[in-house]
Amino acid sequence: FGTVTASLAADTIPIGPDVSQAASFQFDMEAQPLVALLTFDVASPRIDSPPEVYVNGESLGPVNLIMPDLADPGYRGEVESMVKNMQFQYTGWLRGQKVIPLDKLKAGTNDIIVVSGATTLASAIRATQIQLKYLWDKSDYQLRPAK
């Protein structure tokens, strides 16, 4: 269906809040895709501060975390002294995903960096993969006229 799925790393990789503690991936592509989807599992993320993704030196912002029901016992609230609001961390693994737009990847060598959220001191990712969508001769695309 015009897609290519590639594993970037199956192993667990520790990540921290700055680039020196990031998970780094480098890969080559023969052609620029229409769109890409980066997917990985993240350990114990703060739900208000998910990991962030950089592609070819440009920030794409935080990933989308796929959250379980709030009744899940994996949620842990923490309150620091002198702070009124409670922050929540999920104490297990959550799926994180980030759509990478067309203009961020290129034919040739590409770099992806994943750092933990700014307020998450230490975390890890695993099962990191990228899925690429290319034009396919049997695709069902629609061409809309300009208005």
Side-chain angles (χ1 to χ4, degrees), residues 113-127:
I113 295 174
V114 179
V115 296
S116 68
T119 59
T120 302
L121 297 178
S123 188
I125 62 173
R126 69 179 182 193

Side-chain angles (χ1 to χ4, degrees), residues 73-78 86-91:
Y75 289 100
R76 183 181 71 210
E78 293 179 350
M86 183 177 292
Q87 286 91 30
F88 283 89
Q89 180 175 5
Y90 190 79
T91 58

